[in-house]
Amino acid sequence: MTDRRSELAANLAGVEDRIAAACAAAGRRREEVTLIVVTKTYPADDVRLLSGLGVRQVAENRDQDAAPKAAACSDLPLSWHFVGQLQTNKVRSVVTYADIVQSVDRSRLVDALSTAAVRAGREVGCLIQVAFDAESGERGDRGGVAPDGVPALAERIAGAQGLRLDGVMTVAPLAGPYAGDPRASFDRLMEISSRLRADHPAANMVSAGMSADLEDAVAAGATHVRVGTAVLGVRPRLR
């Protein structure tokens, strides 16, 4: 466990150096960017070690892994983000531990989240996942609403009980006009965020960038980056 703690500490320091350098290059203050460590496929023991190293934001993408892990770490000062495609039949479980759902991409999901959040007596933050590989009215290959669907979905979230509209999220697309150009997709997300904030000033969170492209996200103006492999390494999946 001591060796694993040392490994995680070194990896975290490396990621911190990358974020700090990216902020300096972009003329931004380091505190403008929040690191979310994506702990999917890694055990609760790693989450506990990360917490001891100062990590406060963690993310998961599958409820069947996240729910027991969040329960096992309920004594830790952590904020949990759900970042995967979310089916409505998992919503009731997810709202019991997720502080923010970053993958909101359709009205039916908004309605399910609202009902579950009210039932659980919680307020859940929501990010609209924007898919740059989706045509108007469609969803992206990895979830997400087409850019022109953001305003209507934002209004739906803003008017829903138990939910809070926090901002937008994207994953660099593998297809479409921005494929292979994460910086361009992140720049486009910032434009969408700016328009969203004109109507919803508090929705100022922009989640973009992962291990391979966090520098592009910071340069574009992202407020949060989601990093997994660069912190946790490559390990076998949970069974």
Side-chain angles (χ1 to χ4, degrees):
M1 191 64 75
T2 300
D3 289 344
R4 180 58 171 162
R5 186 183 189 282
S6 298
E7 178 186 3
L8 292 175
N11 290 347
L12 272 174
V15 169
E16 171 59 34
D17 288 345
R18 288 176 61 190
I19 296 173
C23 286
R28 302 180 64 190
R29 292 176 289 113
R30 170 62 188 89
E31 55 267 29
E32 293 178 22
V33 180
T34 298
L35 171 64
I36 302 169
V37 179
V38 182
T39 53
K40 64 182 186 182
T41 78
Y42 299 94
D45 285 346
D46 278 353
V47 177
R48 194 163 288 279
L49 289 172
L50 289 168
S51 178
L53 291 167
V55 170
R56 294 294 175 260
Q57 312 274 335
V58 295
E60 291 284 327
N61 74 331
R62 301 197 330 161
D63 176 63
Q64 55 265 49
D65 298 334
K69 199 183 303 184
C73 298
S74 61
D75 60 309
L76 301 177
L78 297 171
S79 290
W80 292 82
H81 299 248
F82 191 87
V83 297
Q85 294 186 53
L86 180 54
Q87 302 303 314
T88 54
N89 65 343
K90 298 292 186 180
V91 162
R92 191 168 181 176
S93 174
V94 168
V95 300
T96 64
Y97 59 85
D99 299 289
I100 296 178
V101 176
Q102 295 202 14
S103 49
V104 180
D105 61 0
R106 58 200 188 279
S107 295
R108 185 174 172 227
L109 179 57
V110 173
D111 295 344
L113 283 166
S114 175
T115 298
V118 170
R119 182 184 292 123
R122 301 194 70 211
E123 181 180 69
V124 177
C126 295
L127 299 187
I128 297 173
Q129 182 178 347
V130 184
F132 293 111
D133 60 348
E135 298 292 337
S136 179
E138 298 181 352
R139 293 174 66 205
D141 287 343
R142 292 186 286 180
V145 65
D148 66 353
V150 170
L153 196 57
E155 292 300 326
R156 188 82 167 229
I157 296 167
Q161 287 186 291
L163 304 184
R164 183 185 66 247
L165 178 61
D166 283 348
V168 292
M169 180 271 261
T170 200
V171 179
L174 301 176
Y178 297 106
D181 192 353
R183 175 61 192 273
S185 68
F186 300 153
D187 284 340
R188 180 78 177 93
L189 185 70
M190 291 303 301
E191 294 173 5
I192 292 170
S193 171
S194 180
R195 286 200 297 273
L196 177 67
R197 284 182 280 116
D199 294 322
H200 305 279
N204 56 12
M205 182 172 170
V206 180
S207 175
M210 298 189 288
S211 292
D213 53 23
L214 69 85
E215 286 85 358
D216 287 322
V218 172
T223 64
H224 292 67
V225 293
R226 311 178 304 273
V227 178
T229 303
V231 172
L232 288 146
V234 178
R235 299 186 65 192
R237 292 184 61 84
L238 290 176
R239 297 299 181 189

